[in-house]
Amino acid sequence: MKVLVTGGTGYIGSHTCVELIESGHEVVIMDNLYNSSAEVLNRIEQITSVRPAFYEADIRDHAAYKKIFNEHHIDAVIHFAGLKAVGESVEKPLEYYDNNIYGTLVLLEEMRNFHVNKIVFSSSATVYGDPKEVPIREDAELHTTNPYGSTKLYIEQIMKDAAHADSDLKVCLLRYFNPIGAHQSGLIGETPNGIPNNLLPYVAQVATGIRDYLRVWGNDYDTVDGTGVRDYIHVVDLAHGHLLALEYLNKCEENVCVFNLGTGNGYSVLQVVQAFERNSGRKVPYQICERRAGDIATCYADTTKARELLGFIAKYDIDDMCRDLWNFASKNPEGIQ
Ligand code: NAD
Ligand code: WQD
């Protein structure tokens, strides 16, 4: 298949491009490089020996799609492009709605104009809010606690409505849990801008000496050791899930499908710190601090549906994730420039 990957130079997008190319698909990337570097294209080429077609363009730009869809016969879109910082979304909700929601509307409109009718969308476990029970099933109640999460929930609804109105359109909504780790080559990985919000990028910066210590946001949750529990998934497993989703869209009867992509295992903050220390040989000093506003105690996936319908099984465990993250972070202390 020839696949348009929006946000394809970003963290999850770049790993998915590698998986696609290695499975014999053709990749066309559209990214405005707001949160990534064109150097990623060189890295993808180094890993796969194939350089994907690249358009430096904004997903809100109608003219860009006209160019891309006229120059390539696109079979399906994987839509990663978007802003993703929870805290920033509270400060700048309009920017988040404009970029994520308006961008998706333009994409869907141009897909319809050019008869491109399969799309896989990067949703998030954030749409489950504070779940009533774990593991979380896809049919759990949905609600969000911040504008970023709301963009994911609204886009899911927009895609469902669009698929309802157009029987040719097929949509796969993938709700990622906590993606971490990096490609085993150490060539691509996550390069956060500024002070990282997410746990693992912060831990890696403590280990490389960029930050002094980790602030652990609360140890009074009702969990194994009082710290927050999450379902961390290796980004390479996650990327593979997108291939399975594309295969599923090619054969399924329904117009809309939704899957959790996680491992089904929960790890606490302190368990993750220990795993990282074990796999990096570095100490990660930490201090227990107050809870972070908006955090929940425990979140992990029920993976039954993805396993049964997609055949998705995560191959990598928390040690693999930490080892591969450290391999990337130690080789690229400044990120990918
Ligand atoms: P990322 O920031 O590394 O990648 C997103 C890419 O989209 C970047 O390369 C950025 O330059 C590009 N982009 C942003 N706005 C754009 C626009 N208007 N036009 C064109 N390109 C644009 O993020 P990521 O971690 O790879 O996340 C990819 C997707 O997965 C996002 O939609 C994110 O919300 C979602 N997601 C991420 C996580 C996570 O923890 N990383 C979890 C759940 C869901
Ligand atoms: C994990 C755990 C923190 C940083 C976020 C988004 C979610 C999704 C994934 C996109 C929690 C603790 C963290 C730190 C800490 N993104 N922590 N010190 O909050 O589960 O999810 O990223 O869709 O929408 O909300 O991930 O990595 O921020 O936190 O103690 O410096 O680590 O309290 O328990 P989270 P995270």
Side-chain angles (χ1 to χ4, degrees):
M1 292 174 87
K2 198 168 201 177
V3 184
L4 174 64
V5 182
T6 75
T9 45
Y11 172 45
I12 306 168
S14 57
H15 289 80
T16 303
C17 288
V18 166
E19 287 288 312
L20 286 166
I21 293 168
E22 288 182 339
S23 307
H25 297 290
E26 276 185 84
V27 167
V28 178
I29 295 178
M30 177 187 204
D31 199 302
N32 65 1
L33 302 181
Y34 177 81
N35 197 35
S36 55
S37 157
E39 169 61 19
V40 169
L41 299 166
N42 298 329
R43 306 286 180 97
I44 293 174
E45 188 176 6
Q46 266 179 274
I47 297 169
T48 64
S49 306
V50 174
R51 191 174 185 82
F54 175 62
Y55 292 81
E56 184 176 341
D58 195 294
I59 53 166
R60 292 163 291 189
D61 179 1
H62 284 274
Y65 295 100
K66 293 189 171 38
K67 190 168 164 53
I68 294 170
F69 289 140
N70 277 320
E71 290 179 3
H72 302 272
H73 178 84
I74 299 291
D75 300 297
V77 176
I78 306 183
H79 181 33
F80 293 102
L83 304 178
K84 63 165 183 177
V86 170
E88 186 186 61
S89 80
V90 176
E91 308 295 320
K92 300 178 175 173
L94 301 186
E95 283 83 347
Y96 271 67
Y97 290 125
D98 180 54
N99 195 82
N100 294 5
I101 297 185
Y102 177 62
T104 302
L105 289 174
V106 176
L107 166 63
L108 290 171
E109 191 182 333
E110 293 301 341
M111 283 175 63
R112 185 178 59 188
N113 289 342
F114 286 88
H115 310 290
V116 179
N117 52 25
K118 291 188 192 75
I119 184 164
V120 176
F121 172 60
S122 303
S123 189
S124 165
T126 193
V127 298
Y128 296 119
D130 192 352
K132 286 209 176 96
E133 56 183 36
V134 288
I136 308 172
R137 287 161 46 107
E138 285 84 351
D139 56 7
E141 230 173 76
L142 305 180
H143 76 101
T144 57
T145 53
N146 57 71
Y148 165 71
S150 299
T151 69
K152 294 295 175 194
L153 194 55
Y154 299 151
I155 292 170
E156 284 200 3
Q157 190 60 49
I158 288 166
M159 290 195 171
K160 287 176 189 166
D161 291 341
H164 182 72
D166 174 359
S167 58
D168 289 335
L169 183 63
K170 285 187 160 193
V171 170
C172 184
L173 308 171
L174 297 180
R175 295 181 182 147
Y176 313 154
F177 280 68
N178 290 56
I180 63 168
H183 192 263
Q184 284 80 358
S185 63
L187 287 166
I188 52 174
E190 186 173 18
T191 57
N193 256 337
I195 303 173
N197 292 305
N198 292 120
L199 178 63
L200 268 299
Y202 202 102
V203 165
Q205 291 197 358
V206 173
T208 44
I210 300 172
R211 316 255 162 227
D212 291 341
Y213 63 92
L214 171 71
R215 288 168 185 77
V216 174
W217 306 125
N219 67 347
D220 56 351
Y221 288 104
D222 182 15
T223 63
V224 59
D225 56 19
T227 65
V229 167
R230 298 291 184 273
D231 184 341
Y232 297 95
I233 176 168
H234 198 299
V235 65
V236 173
D237 275 329
L238 186 68
H240 184 65
H242 292 74
L243 259 73
L244 299 176
L246 278 183
E247 284 169 18
Y248 187 75
L249 279 184
N250 278 332
K251 64 177 188 208
C252 68
E253 298 283 312
E254 65 265 36
N255 279 69
V256 179
C257 53
V258 49
F259 294 102
N260 287 337
L261 289 183
T263 64
N265 303 313
Y267 287 92
S268 75
V269 175
L270 296 183
Q271 287 171 332
V272 170
V273 168
Q274 283 160 12
F276 192 88
E277 289 185 338
R278 214 165 42 236
N279 288 282
S280 65
R282 297 282 174 114
K283 283 304 284 178
V284 178
Y286 64 84
Q287 267 185 23
I288 305 293
C289 302
E290 292 292 298
R291 289 181 178 194
R292 184 172 67 177
D295 268 356
I296 57 175
T298 303
C299 174
Y300 57 93
D302 185 321
T303 56
T304 312
K305 190 176 174 200
R307 186 175 60 248
E308 288 181 353
L309 296 185
L310 295 182
F312 178 76
I313 297 170
K315 279 201 298 203
Y316 300 108
D317 65 16
I318 194 75
D319 287 312
D320 301 319
M321 299 179 214
C322 291
R323 184 199 61 226
D324 293 337
L325 167 58
W326 178 241
N327 180 41
F328 172 76
S330 51
K331 284 182 177 157
N332 301 270
E334 312 287 325
I336 302 175
Q337 320 258 344

